[in-house]
Amino acid sequence: VQKVVKIARLGRTSFRTVKNNRDYLKNKQTSNWMYLSRLAAEKEYQFMTVLHNNGFSVPTPYDHSRHCILMEWIDGTLMKHYRDTSTYKKLYSDLMSFIVKLANHGLIHCDFNEFNIIIKNEGSPNFIVIDFPQCVSIEHPDAKAYFDRDVQGIRDFFEKKFKYTPQHDPTMFDTEGYGEGYKYAYPNFKRDVVRCASLDVEVMASGYAKKKTGSKEDKDLEKADDDEEEEEEEEEEYDDEDAFEEEESDSENEKIIAALSLGDKPLKMDKLGNYILDE
Ligand SMILES: Nc1ncnc2c1ncn2[C@@H]1O[C@H](COP(=O)(O)OP(=O)(O)OP(=O)(O)O)[C@@H](O)[C@H]1O
Ligand SMILES: [Mg+2]
């Protein structure tokens, strides 16, 4: 197996992850970008691990350390370059089904598009989904909007690439897929999502419900919370030891961190992909 290392640099991730990144910062006070990138890598590794363990087509995650993730290298082409006119309707249906299955397990990808889907050169299933740091729970207050955006991204791509704009077809009974030949052209959050697992709780995805009912999930959650506390001590050590001090003004950073964690001030990105206050 060939492997790749993904190096997280939070300042370079998509701007729309800003809001979701808030939950990484809960109870954690630091203005260290390296630390934030490390949290992003840890979170992504957790998402990939639970998804892989639950049979989702994602790269096999092997390990993570600091702000890096080691994972399986996928031999394929980004969906952006996909041109197979004979199989695209099945791919469309499978991608929509992936979104629904993911949501049934409690999660929404939030960046599900042609840049984060790899079409494999061989093997089945023929696509692999990547890039998870911005995943949220289906309990997130904006879950429906994120879900709809992921669905719409796929619709837009297939319209643009293949002029494929399927419509709902009430004469069809098959609801096991989407698009031509099926009842529904695309998934609907309310109609189609039926929770069957709580991966969002397992990984404490942004927006996961924190109900204390003594269920297995809650126990797992408590354990995860404890683990997190232990890790925090570890992280302090790591911070001191490596002295990743910011060269930029600390107070500016504090403001950006506050904006990330509280959402109290608008942020934008500069040309280098770093967060700056939009003042
Ligand atoms: N496991 C993998 N196997 C093969 N290629 C990969 C793998 N993971 C990522 N890539 C390639 O690297 C690119 C970036 O990876 P990813 O989408 O995970 O990061 P990102 O945070 O979106 O980075 P960027 O913002 O720079 O695109 C992908 O578009 C894909 O081309
Ligand atoms: Mg990406």
Side-chain angles (χ1 to χ4, degrees), residues 4 6 12-14 44 59 71-75 78 111 115-116 118 128 130-133:
V4 288
K6 174 168 174 174
R12 300 219 48 177
T13 58
S14 148
E44 177 158 29
M71 68 177 98
E72 174 192 7
W73 175 73
I74 305 300
D75 183 15
L78 266 194
D111 205 8
F115 299 96
N116 291 326
I118 301 177
I128 295 277
I130 58 167
D131 204 1
F132 300 94

Side-chain angles (χ1 to χ4, degrees), residues 239-263:
D239 280 350
D240 289 344
E241 174 192 305
D242 288 302
F244 279 121
E245 285 298 321
E246 276 303 316
E247 284 140 30
E248 294 161 41
S249 129
D250 276 354
S251 73
E252 179 80 1
N253 267 347
E254 292 296 346
K255 279 190 213 151
I256 291 171
I257 294 293
L260 273 166
S261 56
L262 308 169

Side-chain angles (χ1 to χ4, degrees), residues 190-209:
K190 243 187 148 164
R191 183 193 64 212
D192 296 346
V193 176
V194 184
R195 189 189 272 280
C196 70
S198 300
L199 303 187
D200 53 336
V201 181
E202 245 177 78
V203 298
M204 300 192 296
S206 176
Y208 77 96

